Amino acid sequence: MAAHHLEEDLESHIKYLRLAVAEAEKCTPTPTAFCVGCLLVVRLPDGTPPTILAQDIQENSLETHMLRPMHYRKPESCPPTPISLFPHITSVTLDNILSSTDVYTTLEPCSIRTSGLAPCADALIASKVKRCFIGVGEPDDFVKCEGAQKLKDAGIEVIWLNGLEAECLAVARRGHEAKKT
């Protein structure tokens, strides 16, 4: 995406990141994990308005509940089938949808998980999403995260959205003890 086009759409990108922050605020805080919100937004090339495909929080695991080929756990946050969102397009496939999907996440997608679950970055790469908009980098509180670099190396465009870093980090660290300096 050209920088000029991103500037024109900056307001809508910030709107979706704010929705992801609202999702992160739903997380049950824990001292051993971050509270993370995420939205999947489809922008089909036919001019169809952007459509929220799914939204979820870290404790439900992006990889487990949003992307492992679009298997859904929470009907209230996800449609019965992604294709059903686009009835006017007869040739739409799950691969078309995913390759036109932008991810909005409050925190950089993890590249390693202490829980042993598959990292979110790997799920995004396997799903072949188009772009990932990130609110703030994952702090090194638990592991050294290289999720954004993994996405770039796999050909997924990574866009750091400026302006909500403090808000994204504050919600991410809910439930953590303040670090002594």
Side-chain angles (χ1 to χ4, degrees), residues 73-121:
R73 182 179 71 87
K74 298 191 325 184
E76 67 275 14
S77 68
C78 303
T81 65
I83 295 168
S84 69
L85 289 171
F86 309 100
H88 61 286
I89 303 173
T90 56
S91 62
V92 72
T93 66
L94 183 57
D95 287 341
N96 298 134
I97 292 170
L98 291 174
S99 67
S100 298
T101 295
D102 290 334
V103 176
Y104 292 85
T105 180
T106 55
L107 199 65
E108 176 181 9
C110 61
S111 57
I112 187 168
R113 295 180 77 161
T114 57
S115 67
L117 295 173
C120 294

Side-chain angles (χ1 to χ4, degrees), residues 14-31:
I14 293 294
K15 174 187 84 169
Y16 289 122
L17 186 57
R18 285 193 188 285
L19 290 172
V21 169
E23 287 297 307
E25 290 170 346
K26 297 175 186 177
C27 285
T28 303
T30 173

Side-chain angles (χ1 to χ4, degrees), residues 38-104:
C38 181
L39 259 71
L40 302 180
V41 178
V42 179
R43 287 184 172 82
L44 292 174
D46 72 348
T48 300
T51 304
I52 295 176
L53 179 61
Q55 54 198 61
D56 216 343
I57 56 179
Q58 179 274 333
E59 63 195 29
N60 292 331
S61 175
L62 172 73
E63 193 275 332
T64 303
H65 295 291
M66 291 176 72
L67 290 172
R68 191 181 291 145
M70 301 317 272
H71 45 284
Y72 297 116
R73 182 179 71 87
K74 298 191 325 184
E76 67 275 14
S77 68
C78 303
T81 65
I83 295 168
S84 69
L85 289 171
F86 309 100
H88 61 286
I89 303 173
T90 56
S91 62
V92 72
T93 66
L94 183 57
D95 287 341
N96 298 134
I97 292 170
L98 291 174
S99 67
S100 298
T101 295
D102 290 334
V103 176
Y104 292 85

